[in-house]
Amino acid sequence: MGIKEMLNLAWVPSILMLGLVYVVYVLIGGVVFWKLEGDLGEKDISRLVVNKKRLLTTYTCLNQDGLEEVAQVVQDASKVGLSLKGNYTTDGFWKFTSSAVFAATVVTTIGYGNMSPSSTAGQIFCVFFALFGIPLNMVVLNRVGKYMLVIERNISDFVQGKTRRRRCTRFFVHLVSYLSGTVLFFVVPMLVFQQHEGWTYSQAIYYCFITLSTIGFGDFVADSNPDKVYPEWYSVLMASWIFFGLAWLALLINHSMDILERLNTHFKQRWAGQKQEEECGSAEGGNPETQVEEEDEIKTPPITQ
């Protein structure tokens, strides 16, 4: 077996091409983010420097060390979820409901970063909790996603039996499923978060996708503002939305991966078919001298004695 056959057998060119596309995609994303956010970040830094100087000028009793101490207090208060407005304090992050939501963000690998265990026992428990919880979460989400797919296929088969149109029926059922999931896991939560968190619609839809895709930047986190009083059902609704939304988005991503795999297989088959036709054509063309010899052998009668 030659080197060329070995490369074709291992599909090394396709792997390299896929890796090249991945690297180029990431670099393009980096350039776009750099152009969109770079200038804005420099403006934010300049504005903060001006505000810092103005603060030190206004409050002459506050020097650099005092400013650092105030900043540390604000940072510590934000970590535990305490409000610095007024003369009252909230219960902080570590209530039962918010702790349950935190446990959900751990096993789903969202990890907002707005709250984290600070005690040694809590950190050790978090390690083992995530070690067993993440695989369990993946298994459960995979099973729930399969049930969603089964329900979708049963509906598709039922409608197909009534209409006798397979492709149109499957396309219509998939489209309705995607639109229903978009409304249920993006549009409705967007309205709820806009109402209870005071975010804009773009911020709310951004938070929905960042959460359900398990990216979890932590720049926007629902049910974490210490200056707001949330209803008791809010945390339960959030946990349910995260769980079923992850299952639906995982199903959607699996469908997208399946479409990409089918396109890849289709192009591979076309490429292999063209290559086979070229090889067959070259084999049929052959060497002209060989063709002449073969024609002479056919035309020349056998010699008899």
Side-chain angles (χ1 to χ4, degrees):
M1 181 181 293
I3 298 178
K4 186 176 181 180
E5 287 77 6
M6 292 176 63
L7 293 178
N8 290 331
L9 182 62
W11 290 104
V12 172
S14 63
I15 294 175
L16 293 177
M17 181 61 66
L18 186 61
L20 179 61
V21 171
Y22 177 79
V23 173
V24 171
Y25 185 78
V26 172
L27 293 179
I28 291 175
V31 171
V32 173
F33 284 124
W34 174 40
K35 293 297 182 182
L36 292 177
E37 301 292 335
D39 295 338
L40 184 61
E42 293 179 358
K43 292 180 181 178
D44 291 338
I45 293 175
S46 301
R47 187 176 68 252
L48 288 174
V49 171
V50 172
N51 291 336
K52 175 185 174 182
K53 293 181 179 178
R54 185 178 60 188
L55 183 65
L56 293 175
T57 303
T58 303
Y59 301 97
T60 55
C61 60
L62 187 66
N63 55 13
Q64 180 65 33
D65 294 335
L67 181 61
E68 292 178 359
E69 291 181 3
V70 172
Q72 186 64 44
V73 171
V74 174
Q75 184 178 2
D76 294 339
S78 64
K79 285 184 178 180
V80 297
L82 296 180
S83 174
L84 295 177
K85 294 182 180 180
N87 295 322
Y88 68 94
T89 58
T90 59
D91 296 332
F93 282 144
W94 298 105
K95 300 176 292 186
F96 172 73
T97 53
S98 56
S99 299
V101 173
F102 168 76
T105 61
V106 170
V107 297
T108 56
T109 68
I110 296 175
Y112 290 122
N114 64 314
M115 57 186 297
S116 58
S118 56
S119 65
T120 303
Q123 292 171 350
I124 294 175
F125 174 75
C126 185
V127 170
F128 288 99
F129 180 74
L131 185 63
F132 294 99
I134 292 174
L136 177 62
N137 176 75
M138 295 177 63
V139 171
V140 173
L141 288 181
N142 186 34
R143 185 62 59 88
V144 173
K146 286 183 178 179
Y147 274 115
M148 289 182 177
L149 184 60
V150 168
I151 294 173
E152 185 178 320
R153 287 178 177 175
N154 289 337
I155 296 175
S156 178
D157 293 338
F158 175 77
V159 178
Q160 178 184 342
K162 298 293 184 180
T163 59
R164 303 295 181 183
R165 295 181 178 180
R166 181 178 181 181
R167 291 185 177 179
C168 294
T169 300
R170 290 190 177 276
F171 174 78
F172 178 75
V173 172
H174 284 316
L175 180 62
V176 172
S177 175
Y178 294 155
L179 293 178
S180 301
T182 302
V183 172
L184 185 60
F185 298 113
F186 282 92
V187 178
V188 174
M190 177 189 68
L191 299 176
V192 174
F193 293 139
Q194 192 276 334
Q195 182 69 26
H196 287 82
E197 302 292 341
W199 299 335
T200 63
Y201 290 113
S202 61
Q203 291 171 343
I205 198 69
Y206 163 79
Y207 167 75
C208 289
F209 181 80
I210 293 300
T211 296
L212 296 185
S213 60
T214 69
I215 297 175
F217 289 127
D219 48 353
F220 292 94
V221 182
D223 195 22
S224 64
N225 191 344
D227 298 319
K228 290 182 177 292
V229 179
Y230 298 98
E232 293 295 334
W233 52 265
Y234 195 64
S235 297
V236 178
L237 181 65
M238 269 198 60
S240 302
W241 166 70
I242 289 175
F243 177 78
F244 290 103
L246 283 174
W248 175 80
L249 192 61
L251 179 63
L252 183 62
I253 292 175
N254 287 333
H255 278 179
S256 302
M257 292 175 61
D258 183 54
I259 292 173
L260 292 176
E261 288 292 340
R262 289 183 180 182
L263 289 175
N264 186 30
T265 303
H266 174 71
F267 287 122
K268 282 182 179 180
Q269 289 176 352
R270 289 191 60 182
W271 179 76
Q274 292 176 357
K275 185 177 180 181
Q276 186 175 3
E277 289 178 359
E278 291 176 358
E279 291 178 353
C280 291
S282 61
E284 290 176 358
N287 191 350
E289 295 180 358
T290 306
Q291 281 187 335
V292 171
E293 292 178 358
E294 289 178 353
E295 291 176 357
D296 291 340
E297 290 179 359
I298 293 174
K299 293 180 179 178
T300 304
I303 300 175
T304 57
Q305 294 180 349

